[in-house]
């Protein structure tokens, strides 16, 4: 999913930076507000960021100019929403680009857009839509699973737009098929791991989960 340094034409690099910037700014505002109003949630912010960093560093070769790996964006999206998760993704991707040569600075906007914006928005939406009708564990799994896959669909779109050979539709199909071999099992594994982490947080810090409105007071008492 990390598109490597120098792989995208500069016009596309600029476009993805411009599209990502407003979400990042709003995410920073949300983090400041959370830190002021719910300081006890700061450790969860750190855990969510670390979870994303570790999982997204486990890369496998895939599409030329990119790679497959878990994204780790589902946990942050469920706990804090997609805007906050976009800031986590920005920090993670900067460190990975500089320290691990994973991704790049010119392609940072594109990678943030896929892993830190589209994926988390999908994960957050799925969790919000299903948490009242499904068990919490199933909702978290679906959020992490589909958030992971949507990040890769977005990367495929980004690559197909930049390299529409022989045409956009054909290029998109090729990128998505190649990604699917590694990404589908990775998404399942990420979903299961996210459920385990989420349930442990729920057991250890139910009061914080209630304040973040992840669970209701009735669920805490149960």
């Amino acid at each position: 999913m990390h598109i490597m340094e120098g792989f995208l034409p500069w016009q596309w690099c600029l476009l993805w930076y411009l599209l990502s910037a407003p979400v990042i700014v709003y995410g920073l505002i949300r983090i400041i507000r959370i830190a002021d109003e719910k300081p006890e949630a700061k450790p969860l912010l750190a855990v969510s960021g670390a979870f994303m960093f570790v999982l997204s560093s486990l890369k496998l070769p895939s599409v030329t100019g990119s790679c497959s790996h878990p994204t780790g964006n589902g946990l942050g999206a469920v706990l804090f929403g997609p805007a906050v998760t976009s800031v986590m993704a920005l920090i993670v991707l900067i460190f990975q680009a500089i320290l691990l040569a994973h991704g790049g600075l010119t392609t940072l906007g594109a990678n943030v857009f896929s892993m830190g914006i589209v994926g988390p928005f999908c994960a957050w939406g799925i969790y919000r839509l299903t948490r009242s009708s499904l068990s919490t564990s199933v909702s978290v799994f679906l959020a992490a699973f589909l958030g992971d896959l949507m990040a890769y669909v977005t990367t495929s779109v980004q690559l197909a737009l930049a390299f529409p050979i022989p045409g956009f539709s054909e290029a998109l199909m090729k990128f998505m098929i190649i990604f699917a071999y590694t990404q589908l099992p990775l998404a399942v594994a990420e979903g299961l791991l996210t459920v385990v982490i989420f349930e442990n947080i729920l057991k250890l810090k139910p009061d914080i989960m209630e304040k973040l409105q992840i669970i209701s007071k009735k669920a805490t008492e149960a």
Side-chain angles (χ1 to χ4, degrees), residues 111-126:
N111 291 330
V112 167
F113 190 81
S114 59
M115 190 176 95
I117 296 178
V118 175
F121 265 98
C122 176
W124 176 79
I126 291 296

Side-chain angles (χ1 to χ4, degrees), residues 2-213:
H2 289 40
I3 300 175
M4 71 181 187
E5 178 66 34
F7 194 74
L8 292 179
W10 70 267
Q11 298 94 330
W12 289 108
C13 292
L14 178 60
L15 174 66
W16 299 119
Y17 263 106
L18 292 175
L19 291 176
S20 299
V23 183
I24 295 294
V25 171
Y26 178 66
L28 287 170
I29 295 171
R30 288 283 301 142
I31 288 176
I32 293 171
R33 187 178 302 167
I34 291 170
D36 288 341
E37 298 176 356
K38 305 179 181 72
E40 64 275 18
K42 290 179 183 178
L44 278 186
L45 281 168
V47 167
S48 300
F51 183 73
M52 181 182 290
F53 180 85
V54 172
L55 285 194
S56 60
S57 296
L58 304 174
K59 59 180 180 177
L60 298 171
S62 186
V63 176
T64 299
S66 186
C67 56
S68 289
H69 57 78
T71 63
N73 57 27
L75 182 64
V78 168
L79 294 177
F80 298 104
V84 171
T85 309
S86 71
V87 178
M88 296 179 193
L90 174 64
I91 296 170
V92 165
L93 288 165
I94 289 174
F95 271 92
Q96 290 175 339
I98 295 174
L99 300 178
L100 304 178
H102 189 189
L105 297 179
T106 61
T107 55
L108 183 63
N111 291 330
V112 167
F113 190 81
S114 59
M115 190 176 95
I117 296 178
V118 175
F121 265 98
C122 176
W124 176 79
I126 291 296
Y127 180 74
R128 292 285 172 172
L129 286 172
T130 61
R131 65 177 180 173
S132 60
S133 56
L134 300 174
S135 69
T136 301
S137 296
V138 173
S139 293
V140 171
F141 172 82
L142 290 175
F145 173 75
L146 294 174
D148 179 298
L149 290 184
M150 280 307 299
Y152 281 86
V153 170
T154 305
T155 300
S156 297
V157 171
Q158 291 171 326
L159 292 171
L161 285 170
F163 306 101
I165 303 170
F168 171 77
S169 299
E170 294 87 347
L172 177 61
M173 187 60 62
K174 290 178 181 178
F175 286 131
M176 290 183 66
I177 289 173
I178 295 172
F179 270 134
Y181 288 112
T182 51
Q183 205 51 44
L184 282 171
L186 284 175
V188 172
E190 179 176 344
L192 294 173
L193 181 58
T194 303
V195 170
V196 172
I197 300 297
F198 182 90
E199 290 183 345
N200 276 279
I201 293 173
L202 187 58
K203 290 177 183 177
L204 295 172
K205 299 292 182 181
D207 52 333
I208 298 178
M209 300 288 269
E210 182 187 332
K211 288 182 179 180
L212 291 172
Q213 299 181 336

